[in-house]
């Protein structure tokens, strides 16, 4: 008897993160620098308790919080979110942002993850194409894989995607008649997961110009999906406006943000600011998903923001991550050999490292197994690259997170990893000399 | 320029319920007997406040509640849910239910609605077929429509689906070679939405036997999807075991339940007990949807159940709905003419009524507009029927909800509706006489 699963059901692969998680559970001494979990000691336990106490001490506010709401989201939270995005834009020098029009295009979701899912679902059929940063947010790759989409990776520079790489990719798709299948360019534009890169406004503008130029061969809008999940997690005041500043953004920019990572990941609330046809479709489909985001969570967030609690907490969280980033960077300086390349993060939760290209760091690599033997876990860089027929996935990088680990764990984890790298390089040098032809077989990666 | 939407994005129709909701907002005097909202005065505002206070007064319990969890759900809530289902089974005389094996097959979701979505998504491709009760839960029809599925409605009797109708439908599908596209039979088995019907265990068993018989031509499992959303909302102790009692249920029964409706709809937590291949696929896809259900809500529910608060509240809610059902029934007896057929509910939130077949009650009917003019809203029966090429959708029924309306509103709403019906029948009788040939044109409905 065959399986009754749908094509999507059969196609959807287990996420690599679930394997990473189960691995960490099985090793009690393990230090995970892999998890995307957030910092425990700064979780706003007292603040959430007080806010919920207020909310639920009055039936006038408590009842609506425990009742169904509307699918697009709590009007008060939508208004606060619109005002918040407007303020972020103003701080970044964009004074044309209009709160009223933002509110008309907002949808609240169970985390920005749900928004990513809904947008992909309403835009992409199997066989459609999305452009992704090289490397990109690997959980998004799960959505892409599940929907049977084709990918093109766009080389990432220190200030965002390489425009020449984007142009060349679009030109090739045009030549092959594939532009009608291209739906969007997805980019994590602030303190990117996994590399920490922040995309300059100029690049966002140039990228959208380029997409619009090629639209005439697509015969439909090609959207720029700006995932701003880490926008509020910079260590300094953010100075780059979002793509919402671009003229015509209302028609082409899909903008996603989240309250979960900065506030509390157990409170899954994110949002999307969407072009009208996308928003209409997303709301219809979200109605089928869940009727709307849990009202209690939305009321909690609305109260956290309007009372100022959210902003006070945000300052604390940003300071905390800045300190833990410093801690990781300083440990890397101490314990890692100089051949390891990396950049100091300016926000977010991750450090991205490149080892010499001969060191394979993937999930099935001996190096990964060795690190596990030393009770330290990282995210292999390879899983952050979209499958792209034009290149093999680079396999010599890693993402390290200082999100959940304590400063002590960060230091010890980096020391362990430093030992693994050091030993590996020592063992490898003679092998490289004797096996040069074989070592070259895989070819250099394209990153 | 064309739309960039996917086939699903373009196909998904706006839910009728959103139109009903916006209609009610525009009329301040309107009494809505349409909404699926729950009773406001019994919402457990104090209880939730106290539970959250406890949870968040200790960082040891507070931090995990505000952090990410695992995709399948909080282990404590899964165990409590398994034990709860086992207890329900025992009370219904099924002593073979095994809590341990239930726990292995459970997934927690953002309401049982998300579970319905996920199951449909992992089982059904466009063009696949599902069997549905005639009438059925109309929000599920939105999922079915969005996924491009074909439907067959199975006639509903007072104790569940008509087995002869099921057999005939399966036989026809076999004859047409369509069984390989048939994925499941979906039934709301306790105090069904919309008719209030509870399916007898014997019928569930016979239905599954029949599905299994026809599987050899489908070449894959045909699942029985038991939506038990109203199982805990009976006015008396429930005596029907679920389909989980059937031998082999672990391989064929998809069982969904919810904590939202009985406890608080603003706390969106439901669950599914699934055959292993379905569960694996659902967890993978849910990972892409949202990584897992908001942990704060799961910790809250786990505490509500383990402390006994949930059960105390459940008694209150059941008594309240029983009282409001009585109130509606007594108003119907007073204000509705005898030609209106209906049954006294034994649980849930709805009364289903059939008017004479000549009275069209659909969304675009003059009768519906007249009711709206009288400031009373109902759910037209027609939207609760799946599109089925074998019959027109019956158009002379309505679903009335006593869930959200107060006793005063129920009485007044029924009185208004009674006037509309009374006037309509008086006006219609001479028309029927003079227009008999035309009135017969639509043909009799099959319900």
């Amino acid at each position: 008897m065959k399986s009754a699963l749908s094509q999507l059901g059969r196609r959807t692969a287990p996420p690599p993160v679930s394997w990473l998680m189960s691995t960490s559970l099985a090793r009690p001494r393990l230090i995970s620098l892999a998890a995307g979990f957030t910092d425990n000691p700064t979780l706003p336990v007292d603040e959430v308790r007080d806010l919920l106490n207020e909310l639920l001490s009055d039936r006038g506010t408590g009842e609506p919080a425990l009742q169904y709401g509307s699918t697009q989201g709590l009007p008060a939270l939508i208004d606060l979110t619109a005002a918040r995005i407007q303020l972020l834009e103003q701080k970044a020098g964009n004074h044309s942002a209009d709160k009223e029009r933002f509110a008309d295009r907002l949808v609240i979701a169970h985390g920005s993850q749900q928004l990513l899912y809904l947008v992909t679902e309403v835009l992409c059929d199997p066989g459609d194409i999305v452009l992704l940063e090289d490397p990109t947010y690997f959980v998004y790759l799960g959505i892409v894989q599940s929907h049977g989409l084709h990918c093109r990776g766009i080389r990432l520079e220190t200030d965002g995607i390489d425009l020449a790489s984007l142009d060349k990719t679009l030109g090739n798709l045009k030549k092959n008649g594939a532009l009608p299948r291209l739906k969007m360019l997805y980019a994590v534009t602030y303190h990117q997961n996994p590399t920490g890169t922040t995309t300059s406004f100029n690049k966002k503008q140039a990228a959208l110009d380029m997409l619009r130029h090629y639209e005439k061969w697509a015969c439909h809008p090609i959207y720029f999906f700006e995932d701003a999940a880490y926008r509020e997690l910079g260590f300094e005041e953010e100075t780059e406006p979002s793509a919402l500043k671009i003229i015509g953004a209302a028609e082409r920019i899909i903008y996603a943000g989240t309250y979960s990572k900065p506030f509390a990941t157990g409170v899954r609330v994110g949002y999307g600011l969407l072009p009208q046809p996308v928003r209409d479709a997303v709301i219809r489909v979200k109605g089928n998903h869940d009727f709307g985001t849990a009202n209690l969570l939305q009321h909690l967030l609305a109260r956290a923001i309007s009372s100022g609690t959210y902003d006070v907490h945000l300052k604390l969280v940003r300071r905390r991550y800045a300190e833990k980033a410093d801690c990781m960077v300083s440990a890397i300086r101490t314990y890692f050999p100089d051949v390891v390349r990396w950049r100091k993060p300016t926000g977010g939760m991750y450090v991205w490292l490149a080892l010499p290209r001969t060191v394979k760091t993937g999930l099935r690599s001996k190096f990964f197994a060795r690190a596990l033997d030393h009770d330290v876990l990282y995210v292999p860089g390879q899983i952050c690259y979209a499958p792209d027929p034009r290149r093999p996935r680079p396999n010599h990088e890693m993402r390290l997170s200082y999100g959940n680990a304590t400063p002590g764990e960060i230091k010890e984890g980096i020391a362990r990893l430093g030992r693994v790298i050091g030993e590996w390089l020592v063992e490898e040098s003679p092998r490289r000399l004797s096996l040069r032809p074989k070592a070259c077989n895989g070819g250099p990666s394209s990153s």
Side-chain angles (χ1 to χ4, degrees), chain A residues 33-46:
Chain A
L33 303 176
F37 279 38
T38 51
D39 188 63
N40 274 325
T42 47
L43 282 169
V45 176
D46 292 346

Side-chain angles (χ1 to χ4, degrees), chain A residues 265-283:
Chain A
T265 44
V267 179
R268 313 277 299 121
V269 181
Y271 52 87
L273 186 71
L274 310 172
Q276 215 61 55
V278 181
R279 177 178 179 268
D280 290 350
V282 159
I283 291 175

Side-chain angles (χ1 to χ4, degrees), chain A residues 46 89 94 188 197 230 252 282 435:
Chain A
D46 292 346
E89 289 300 310
N94 171 15
V188 184
T197 306
Y230 299 90
R252 288 296 181 274
V282 159
L435 291 174

Side-chain angles (χ1 to χ4, degrees), chain A residues 20-55:
Chain A
L20 289 174
M21 277 181 180
S22 59
T23 304
S24 34
L25 287 175
R27 289 184 161 264
R29 279 196 65 246
L30 188 83
I31 291 177
S32 175
L33 303 176
F37 279 38
T38 51
D39 188 63
N40 274 325
T42 47
L43 282 169
V45 176
D46 292 346
E47 293 84 342
V48 170
R49 188 193 58 227
D50 293 347
L51 290 165
L52 288 168
N53 243 324
E54 276 173 43
L55 180 69

Side-chain angles (χ1 to χ4, degrees), chain A residues 236-270:
Chain A
E236 308 287 336
E237 211 56 66
E238 209 58 73
T239 54
E240 290 297 340
S242 77
L244 295 169
K245 187 185 172 183
I246 304 171
I247 291 165
E251 282 79 44
R252 288 296 181 274
I253 301 300
I254 292 167
Y255 177 94
T258 183
Y259 294 120
S260 299
K261 276 234 159 60
F263 193 63
T265 44
V267 179
R268 313 277 299 121
V269 181

Side-chain angles (χ1 to χ4, degrees), chain A residues 44-324:
Chain A
V45 176
D46 292 346
E47 293 84 342
V48 170
R49 188 193 58 227
D50 293 347
L51 290 165
L52 288 168
N53 243 324
E54 276 173 43
L55 180 69
L56 300 166
S57 289
D58 177 347
R59 287 200 75 92
T61 56
E63 283 180 13
L66 295 185
Q67 185 56 272
Y68 285 125
S70 67
T71 304
Q72 63 264 43
L74 180 69
L77 185 58
I78 285 180
D79 286 343
L80 287 163
T81 303
R84 198 163 180 85
I85 301 174
Q86 189 196 28
L87 196 66
L88 285 169
E89 289 300 310
Q90 284 172 353
K91 281 184 184 168
N94 171 15
H95 296 282
S96 63
D98 178 343
K99 169 171 108 66
E100 296 312 316
R101 288 181 46 213
F102 284 172
D104 291 344
R105 290 190 281 128
L106 274 164
V107 182
I108 307 291
H110 279 119
S112 59
Q113 179 71 18
Q114 191 191 28
L115 213 277
L116 303 194
Y117 195 91
L118 287 164
V119 164
T120 308
E121 195 176 18
V122 305
L123 284 180
C124 301
D125 287 309
D128 279 353
I129 303 166
V130 293
L131 308 180
L132 299 145
E133 294 168 303
D134 232 359
T136 187
Y137 171 45
F138 69 83
V139 181
Y140 186 61
L141 290 176
I143 296 178
V144 163
Q145 190 274 331
S146 173
H147 284 81
L149 310 185
H150 297 308
C151 303
R152 296 291 180 275
I154 310 295
R155 213 175 71 85
L156 198 55
E157 299 178 311
T158 52
D159 61 344
I161 50 166
D162 174 9
L163 294 169
S165 164
L166 176 62
D167 192 37
K168 194 176 154 192
T169 304
L170 288 165
N172 278 332
L173 292 173
K174 179 184 162 231
K175 208 163 65 188
N176 300 331
L179 281 176
R181 304 235 68 168
L182 177 63
K183 294 301 178 68
M184 63 173 154
L185 162 64
Y186 170 79
V188 184
T189 52
Y190 295 91
H191 316 290
Q192 194 230 22
N193 178 358
T195 65
T197 306
T198 292
T199 302
S200 71
F201 175 73
N202 289 343
K203 279 213 160 166
K204 290 188 253 197
Q205 188 157 36
L208 185 62
D209 282 349
M210 229 174 253
L211 295 178
R212 293 199 86 138
H213 169 74
Y214 282 93
E215 272 184 2
K216 48 179 160 303
W217 295 284
C219 301
H220 60 66
I222 303 172
Y223 294 101
F224 183 146
F225 192 153
E226 169 158 50
D227 182 345
Y230 299 90
R231 187 176 191 182
E232 299 206 280
L233 288 175
F235 304 149
E236 308 287 336
E237 211 56 66
E238 209 58 73
T239 54
E240 290 297 340
S242 77
L244 295 169
K245 187 185 172 183
I246 304 171
I247 291 165
E251 282 79 44
R252 288 296 181 274
I253 301 300
I254 292 167
Y255 177 94
T258 183
Y259 294 120
S260 299
K261 276 234 159 60
F263 193 63
T265 44
V267 179
R268 313 277 299 121
V269 181
Y271 52 87
L273 186 71
L274 310 172
Q276 215 61 55
V278 181
R279 177 178 179 268
D280 290 350
V282 159
I283 291 175
R284 288 172 189 187
V285 174
K286 185 163 164 62
N288 288 331
H289 273 230
D290 57 19
F291 316 136
T293 303
N295 231 351
L296 179 62
L297 303 180
Q298 294 192 76
H299 280 262
L300 166 61
L301 249 321
R303 200 165 270 255
I305 296 167
S306 61
S307 66
T309 305
Y310 183 89
D311 278 315
V312 171
H313 180 71
L314 193 56
K315 277 197 190 116
L316 176 76
V317 166
R318 287 161 63 174
R319 201 166 55 233
R320 172 75 173 171
Y321 285 134
E323 284 164 9
K324 294 213 292 185

